[in-house]
Amino acid sequence: MCARPGGPERRMLSARLGRGGEPALKIAGVGQGYVGLVTSVGAAEWGNEVVGVEIDPQRLLALRAGRSPIFEPGLEELVAGHAATGRLSFSSDTGEAVAGARIVFVAVATTDSAGAWDFATMRRCLTGVVPLMDDDSVLVIRSTCPPQLVKEIVPLVDAIRSNADRAPIALAFNPEFTREGNALHDFLEPDRVILGIASDPSGLGEAALRQFYATVEAPILVMGAADAMLSKLASNLYLATKISFANELAALCDVHGSRIERVVEGMSYDPRIGGSFLRAGIGFGGSCLPHQVTMTVADAETLGIDVPLLAAVDSINARQRTTFVDRLAALTGGLEGRRIALLGLTFKPHTDDLRAAPGLDIARDLLSRDAVVVAYDPMETARQRAAGLIDDLLIADTAIDALTGADAVGLITEWPEFVALPWADLARVVRGQVVVDGRNALDPEVMAAAGFTYSAFGRGTQTAQDGSAAASVPVGSPINVRSALAFSES
Ligand code: UGA
C-alpha cells in the first residue's frame, strides 16, 4: 500500500500556511473529482477560503467527514487538515458556494465513461453556475477541453449571463498539468501556469488569477483560450508520442540485442532530447493520454486533417499489449490452460486508477486465449473493481498468492514492492520460471541469477516483435535498473 501519512505532504502543509501576507481569496470549486479536489485542497493550502461544490451525495458525505473519495498520496490528510482550519468546506449548494467568490473553478467531466468527448455535463454545470456568479468574479475552466468545446463555452457563458440579465463576467481557461500520484506536488509547485483569457471586461479576472498564483515561482503564461487548451492537449500528445517512440525503439533494440536504457541514456545528454518519458513497456494508460490521442485522431478525421504520427502513436500503444501477451504465449508454449500471474493492475503505481489500464486489456486478451489469469495489485480498491470488470479474472490477496503455482509471471505495474520481491526464493514458488516484464522495472541480472527466463522490452532479450522467438536470458553488461528508471520518470 502506498499511503504515506506524515510524509512530504505534511512538511509541505506547514511550510505553506500563511503565505507571506497575501490576502486570502474566496474561492468556489465546482466539481470535486480528481482535478477539482486537488485544486480546492491546493487553494486552501495557499491560505484561501474554499467551498467545494459536489452533487454526488456519497462523495459529499466522505468529503464532509474529512475523507478523500479518491486515492492520491497526501490528499486525505490535507482534506481533513483544512476542514479543521476552516479554510475548506464542501456543499451541494452552488448558489451558497458561488456567492461572493472571486474565482469559480469548474472541473467537471468532459468525456463519457468510454473516454469519448461528452460536453453535456459541462453545459449543464455552466447553465447552473454562471447566472449565480458575482459580476466581479472570474469563471475558470480547469477541465480539459478540446478546441471545439472552448469555442462553444465562450459564447455560451455570455449568452447565459445576458439571458439572466446579468453583466458579462471574466472567463479564463486554466489547464491542469498534474500527474496522478504526484498531483499535490504538481499543483503546488507547477512547471508553468497557463491562463487562457477568453474575456476579461474589467481586467479583474487576470488580476484575481495572478493573486491566486502569487507564490508560484514558475512562469505564468497568458494567452488565448484555445491556445491554452491546445497547449494542454499538445503536452499530453507529445508525452504519448515519446512513449510510443520508446516502444518503437525497444523493438529495434530487441532485434539488435541492444539495451534501451543505454540507448536512452546516450540520447538524454542532448538538451534538445532529454531522457524522461522514454521508458518502454506495455504502453500508456490512464484517463488522459490514451483517450486524448484517440480523440485527437478522431477529431482530425472529422475536420479532414491527416495526423499519421498520432495515429501511429495510438496503434503502437495498442500493439505493446498484444506483444506482451504474445511473449507470454511463446515462453509458455501456448496459453491454453496456463496459469498466468499478473503483478499490478493500475495504469501506473501510486494510484488505484484502472481507467484505460493496460493490465485490463492484457487480462482480457489472456482469458480470450484460454489462460487462467490471477492478478494482484497492492490497492485493494483496484483489486475489487477489476474483479467486477472482468468476469473470469481471479484476484489474489497477496503477490505471493498470485505467484504460487503460476506457469508464468507478467509484471504490469512497477509498484516498488514488486521490484523488491525476493525473486530468488520465488523461483521455488512458481511452477514455470518465466517472467515477462511489461515495465522494464526488474533487474535482468537478478532475474537471471534467480533462474528465471526473463523477457522485457528493448533490454537485449532478442525476442522478435511478434513474440515468436523465445526470449533468452539478457545479454550484455549489467545495468542499474534503479538509475534507469529514474531516467525515465518525469
Ligand atoms: C498525464 C500527464 O503526465 C500529466 O502531465 C497531465 O496533467 C495528466 O495526464 C492530465 O492530463 O491530467 P497521468 O495520466 O497521471 O498524467 O499519467 P502519466 O504519469 O503521464 O503516465 C501515463 C502512462 O504512461 C502510464 O500508464 C505510465 O505507466 C506510462 N508511461 C509513462 C510509460 O509507459 N513510459 C514512460 O516513460 C512514462
Side-chain angles (χ1 to χ4, degrees):
M1 302 288 287
C2 56
R4 300 179 215 148
E9 289 75 22
R10 168 52 69 198
R11 288 193 292 281
M12 200 160 64
L13 174 67
S14 44
R16 288 279 181 171
L17 293 179
R19 50 178 199 161
E22 275 294 329
L25 290 162
K26 189 165 184 270
I27 308 280
V30 180
Q32 298 301 296
Y34 213 98
V35 173
L37 184 55
V38 169
T39 304
S40 296
V41 166
E45 185 75 350
W46 282 338
N48 300 295
E49 190 192 320
V50 187
V51 182
V53 179
E54 179 53 58
I55 54 167
D56 180 299
Q58 279 195 326
R59 206 169 256 253
L60 185 63
L61 209 63
L63 289 166
R64 282 181 160 164
R67 283 184 280 114
S68 170
I70 51 174
F71 177 79
E72 175 65 31
L75 191 60
E76 182 149 297
E77 189 191 12
L78 292 193
V79 168
H82 286 302
T85 64
R87 282 206 293 269
L88 179 60
S89 60
F90 298 96
S91 169
S92 56
D93 185 337
T94 309
E96 187 189 48
V98 159
R102 274 298 303 283
I103 302 178
V104 177
F105 286 109
V106 167
V108 295
T110 50
T111 56
D112 63 21
S113 56
W117 296 125
D118 181 349
F119 308 146
T121 309
M122 177 63 84
R123 288 180 191 125
R124 242 190 341 266
C125 170
L126 293 178
T127 308
V129 170
V130 170
L132 306 174
M133 290 174 58
D134 288 4
D135 293 352
D136 63 353
S137 61
V138 54
L139 173 68
V140 181
I141 308 293
R142 285 288 276 170
S143 316
T144 297
C145 303
Q148 63 270 31
L149 180 56
V150 174
K151 281 187 199 140
E152 183 181 324
I153 288 176
V154 176
L156 178 66
V157 168
D158 274 346
I160 294 171
R161 290 294 287 184
S162 113
N163 290 344
D165 263 341
R166 303 288 315 262
I169 43 161
L171 168 63
F173 291 76
N174 174 215
E176 53 86 26
F177 296 97
T178 51
R179 294 160 297 171
E180 286 188 31
N182 289 283
L184 285 167
H185 169 270
D186 291 347
F187 180 88
L188 294 167
E189 315 224 349
D191 303 320
R192 76 290 207 192
V193 171
I194 295 188
L195 305 179
I197 307 287
S199 66
D200 194 5
S202 57
L204 287 172
E206 186 181 330
L209 281 165
R210 284 193 180 276
Q211 186 179 336
F212 181 74
Y213 286 115
T215 52
V216 163
E217 281 166 17
I220 295 188
L221 311 174
V222 179
M223 58 182 77
D227 299 339
M229 273 304 167
L230 262 177
S231 286
K232 154 74 188 187
L233 279 177
S235 299
N236 280 355
L237 297 175
Y238 185 62
L239 292 172
T241 304
K242 288 185 90 174
I243 297 169
S244 280
F245 174 81
N247 283 328
E248 189 124 301
L249 197 59
L252 285 172
C253 288
D254 279 338
V255 167
H256 294 301
S258 300
R259 290 206 163 158
I260 190 157
E261 290 97 332
R262 290 283 194 233
V263 176
V264 168
E265 186 182 7
M267 294 159 61
S268 68
Y269 286 92
D270 184 331
R272 294 169 303 174
I273 300 174
S276 67
F277 257 68
L278 290 168
R279 191 185 61 244
I282 50 178
F284 53 84
S287 63
C288 305
L289 267 49
H291 100 88
Q292 285 167 15
V293 173
T294 312
M295 291 313 297
T296 304
V297 172
D299 290 348
E301 203 176 308
T302 310
L303 294 164
I305 303 164
D306 207 14
V307 287
L309 176 62
L310 293 176
V313 167
D314 205 10
S315 66
I316 292 168
N317 199 45
R319 184 193 72 190
Q320 294 308 106
R321 292 145 163 81
T322 310
T323 302
F324 182 83
V325 177
D326 289 343
R327 287 190 181 180
L328 282 165
L331 292 169
T332 52
L335 287 167
E336 195 179 340
R338 302 284 187 202
R339 187 178 174 90
I340 309 295
L342 295 183
L343 293 182
L345 286 164
T346 53
F347 81 99
K348 66 175 183 180
H350 310 300
T351 172
D352 66 353
D353 200 337
L354 289 175
R355 287 176 290 178
L360 297 183
D361 290 339
I362 285 167
R364 289 191 182 101
D365 192 359
L366 286 165
L367 288 165
S368 77
R369 301 196 210 183
D370 295 324
V372 175
V373 185
V374 52
Y376 169 74
D377 190 279
M379 294 301 295
E380 194 186 343
T381 40
R383 296 201 296 273
Q384 283 169 358
R385 249 179 285 134
L389 289 169
I390 304 178
D391 279 349
D392 296 326
L393 180 65
L394 303 176
I395 299 290
D397 289 335
T398 66
I400 307 294
D401 286 350
L403 295 171
T404 304
D407 293 300
V409 182
L411 184 89
I412 298 289
T413 317
E414 69 278 26
W415 286 97
E417 67 177 79
F418 296 150
V419 178
L421 280 170
W423 287 99
D425 301 334
L426 291 173
R428 288 190 289 275
V429 169
V430 295
R431 189 160 51 208
Q433 271 82 43
V434 167
V435 171
V436 180
D437 180 353
R439 294 297 183 185
N440 285 4
L442 303 171
D443 187 331
E445 307 303 322
V446 169
M447 302 312 289
F452 284 97
T453 297
Y454 173 81
S455 173
F457 288 82
R459 298 183 109 184
T461 46
Q462 297 181 325
T463 307
Q465 197 171 301
D466 64 1
S468 55
S472 62
V473 172
V475 292
S477 57
I479 57 168
N480 180 330
V481 175
R482 280 187 201 289
S483 67
L485 273 177
F487 242 108
S488 63
E489 277 156 13
S490 58

